[in-house]
Amino acid sequence: MNGLDCVPALKALGEETRLRILRLLFREPMSVTTISEHLNISQYNVSKHLRVMREAGLLEIEKCG
């Protein structure tokens, strides 16, 4: 990333819940359900935060099942 390319990533990282999610994911890959249980937030909100981080280029999503 360079210049303005990093702006979406920095905006995505500016939210505490997203940082908490990333801390969990740095340890190991997790499902939305598992993240939701660890952080005590709804699956809907986890999915929303994951989408923002994916669109910012911070995550790659792997679908299972």
Side-chain angles (χ1 to χ4, degrees), residues 42-61:
S42 72
Q43 290 182 18
Y44 173 80
N45 281 332
V46 171
S47 293
K48 186 172 65 170
H49 288 301
L50 290 173
R51 180 183 48 81
V52 170
M53 291 188 287
R54 181 182 48 80
E55 289 174 355
L58 297 172
L59 294 177
E60 291 180 7
I61 303 297

Side-chain angles (χ1 to χ4, degrees), residues 8-58:
L10 292 172
K11 283 183 178 181
L13 293 173
E15 214 283 333
E16 182 182 352
T17 301
R18 293 185 196 126
L19 290 174
R20 293 172 62 207
I21 291 170
L22 282 177
R23 281 189 208 113
L24 285 175
L25 294 175
F26 281 143
R27 292 185 213 153
E28 64 182 289
M30 293 184 182
S31 68
V32 170
T33 302
T34 304
I35 295 168
S36 174
E37 291 168 355
H38 272 78
L39 299 181
N40 197 30
I41 58 177
S42 72
Q43 290 182 18
Y44 173 80
N45 281 332
V46 171
S47 293
K48 186 172 65 170
H49 288 301
L50 290 173
R51 180 183 48 81
V52 170
M53 291 188 287
R54 181 182 48 80
E55 289 174 355
L58 297 172

